[in-house]
């Protein structure tokens, strides 16, 4: 599976490009399934590329195309929308989950591609706000983080409602039971009352499982987005200021960008926004380890903002 990752990534670069150009609006479910698999494989390879001799060989083979693949993957973040309004249609459910999976995979890839050293491979530029267009900037990370928090809150509420309905399915109206049961059996008119209730419960449990899966993805996505954001802000505000080895013109431009970033950070990473991150990662949907790690990152971000 590892050896085929390079060829798989190259073979699907056309699919990735077409989704970027088309905005991801008219792709088939199989396209998104392929892209979810490819992005998962590439994220895995990027984080495990030096584990075995085979991995090293694949990494060497990929060097000529890795930069192009990386650009394609990061550009997907502009083209794919995170799940919005909840739906009960099977195809819509699967596609919105696949889109969330792809975005989560791409962000996981970015975490690995960034590197673990003190000075990172910066993948996102210093720009904040919408005035800089659609480049890969800190503005994109913050926008994705806002959408992830909003989406997770919405889906968490929906998950609670679905599980409550499944537990109290007998309290639903006959019409609502029939509508839910129709996703399991074709002719609900032939069902007894107990059968109709059971089929309705099965459908509600399917929907709840889907929301639970999405909440797990949102948790991983949120943690990685906060980590990327903190590493980049720390890189620019701490190590960026100390980097005096650039050409003078480039150095002045870089220093100006960092000063502007420092001035604007507090307007984008507000206390309510940071609190929302901590509240989400402290919810019952996340583990204690995730909650502690993300909360620590938020505290570090606060320190950088106030420096």
């Amino acid at each position: 599976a590892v050896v085929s990752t390079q060829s798989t990534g190259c073979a699907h670069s056309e699919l990735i490009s077409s989704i970027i150009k088309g905005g991801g609006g008219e792709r088939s479910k199989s396209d998104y399934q392929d892209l979810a698999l490819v992005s998962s494989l590439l994220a895995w390879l990027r984080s495990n590329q030096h584990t075995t001799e085979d991995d090293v060989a694949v990494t060497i083979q990929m060097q000529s195309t890795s930069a192009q693949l990386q650009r394609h993957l990061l550009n997907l973040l502009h083209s794919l929308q995170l799940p919005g309004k909840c739906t009960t249609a099977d195809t819509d459910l699967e596609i919105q989950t696949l889109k969330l999976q792809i975005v989560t995979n791409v962000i996981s890839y970015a975490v690995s591609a960034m590197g673990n050293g003190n000075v990172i491979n910066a993948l996102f530029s210093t720009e904040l706000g919408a005035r800089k267009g659609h480049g890969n900037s800190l503005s994109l990370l913050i926008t994705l983080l806002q959408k992830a928090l909003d989406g997770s809150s919405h889906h968490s509420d929906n998950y609670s409602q679905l599980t409550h309905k499944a537990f109290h399915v007998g309290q639903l109206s006959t019409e609502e039971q029939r509508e839910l049961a129709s996703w399991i059996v074709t002719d609900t008119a032939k069902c007894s009352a107990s059968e109709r209730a059971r089929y309705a419960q099965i459908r509600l449990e399917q929907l709840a499982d889907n929301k639970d899966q999405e909440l797990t993805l949102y948790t991983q996505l949120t943690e990685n987005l906060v980590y990327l954001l903190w590493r980049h802000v720390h890189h620019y505000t701490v190590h960026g200021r100390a980097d005096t080895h650039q050409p003078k013109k480039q150095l002045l431009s870089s220093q100006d960008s960092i000063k502007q970033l420092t001035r604007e950070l507090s307007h984008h990473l507000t206390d309510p926004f940071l609190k929302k991150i901590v509240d989400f990662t402290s919810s019952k949907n996340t583990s204690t380890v995730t909650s502690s790690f993300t909360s620590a990152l938020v505290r570090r971000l606060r320190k950088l903002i106030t420096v």
Side-chain angles (χ1 to χ4, degrees):
V2 177
V3 175
S4 66
T5 304
Q6 187 259 354
S7 58
T8 303
C10 293
H12 286 78
S13 61
E14 184 176 342
L15 169 61
I16 298 173
S17 297
S18 67
I19 289 179
I20 292 170
K21 293 175 183 177
E26 299 180 357
R27 308 306 305 186
S28 68
K29 186 178 77 171
S30 62
D31 283 342
Y32 289 117
Q33 288 173 329
D34 286 349
L35 195 50
L37 175 61
V38 171
S39 59
S40 179
L41 285 171
L42 291 173
W44 182 88
L45 177 62
R46 198 66 177 84
S47 62
N48 297 277
Q49 59 181 342
H50 297 302
T51 322
T52 68
E53 291 181 2
D54 285 340
D55 287 338
V56 173
V58 172
T59 302
I60 293 172
Q61 292 172 18
M62 284 187 68
Q63 283 180 348
S64 62
T65 56
S66 61
Q68 181 183 10
L69 283 172
Q70 181 168 294
R71 284 195 303 272
H72 282 329
L73 284 173
L74 293 178
N75 284 337
L76 281 172
L77 298 175
H78 302 284
S79 306
L80 295 175
Q81 297 297 316
L82 293 177
K85 185 179 179 180
C86 293
T87 176
T88 57
D90 277 329
T91 303
D92 291 342
L93 273 174
E94 291 180 53
I95 287 180
Q96 72 176 17
T97 303
L98 286 168
K99 286 183 178 182
L100 176 57
Q101 178 71 72
I102 294 165
V103 172
T104 303
N105 290 342
V106 173
I107 292 298
S108 295
Y109 175 94
V111 168
S112 299
M114 177 179 61
N116 296 317
N118 288 331
V119 180
I120 65 169
N121 171 30
L123 303 176
F124 299 90
S125 60
T126 59
E127 287 81 7
L128 296 169
R131 65 184 181 281
K132 295 295 181 178
H134 299 288
N136 294 323
S137 64
L138 295 183
S139 176
L140 175 60
L141 292 182
I142 294 174
T143 298
L144 286 173
L145 189 51
Q146 289 171 331
K147 289 182 177 179
L149 291 171
D150 290 341
S152 61
S153 175
H154 181 70
H155 285 68
S156 179
D157 291 342
N158 193 250
Y159 173 77
S160 298
Q161 293 167 9
L162 289 167
T163 53
H164 178 80
K165 282 186 175 183
F167 190 74
H168 301 283
V169 69
Q171 298 177 10
L172 301 180
S173 67
T174 301
E175 190 59 37
E176 188 172 3
Q177 286 185 7
R178 282 177 179 163
E179 183 181 349
L180 289 164
S182 66
W183 291 95
I184 309 300
V185 292
T186 306
D187 192 356
T188 58
K190 295 181 180 179
C191 298
S192 65
S194 60
E195 287 175 334
R196 185 179 63 239
R198 179 54 186 155
Y199 289 137
Q201 184 179 40
I202 291 173
R203 179 57 180 169
L204 287 166
E205 288 171 349
Q206 288 176 344
L207 294 171
D209 286 344
N210 177 267
K211 294 306 157 197
D212 187 48
Q213 179 185 354
E214 288 188 350
L215 286 169
T216 299
L217 290 171
Y218 273 124
T219 300
Q220 179 185 348
L221 177 61
T222 299
E223 179 180 334
N224 281 335
L225 282 169
V226 174
Y227 182 65
L228 275 173
L229 188 58
W230 169 69
R231 287 301 308 272
H232 277 75
V233 171
H234 182 267
H235 169 76
Y236 287 125
T237 59
V238 176
H239 297 288
R241 283 174 171 164
D243 184 7
T244 58
H245 300 291
Q246 306 174 63
K248 186 174 181 181
K249 185 175 181 180
Q250 184 179 344
L251 177 63
L252 291 173
S253 175
S254 175
Q255 296 299 313
D256 287 343
S257 297
I258 292 171
K259 288 178 182 177
Q260 187 166 347
L261 169 64
T262 305
R263 286 195 303 269
E264 295 181 353
L265 265 178
S266 60
H267 299 296
H268 295 271
L269 299 179
T270 62
D271 282 339
F273 180 53
L274 294 176
K275 183 178 183 301
K276 193 174 182 180
I277 297 171
V278 174
D279 288 345
F280 168 67
T281 55
S282 301
S283 69
K284 61 184 178 182
N285 301 312
T286 60
S287 68
T288 303
V289 173
T290 296
S291 174
S292 300
F293 178 68
T294 309
S295 296
L297 291 178
V298 170
R299 288 195 296 272
R300 293 183 181 186
L301 273 171
R302 288 185 190 274
K303 288 182 181 179
L304 291 173
I305 292 170
T306 56
V307 169

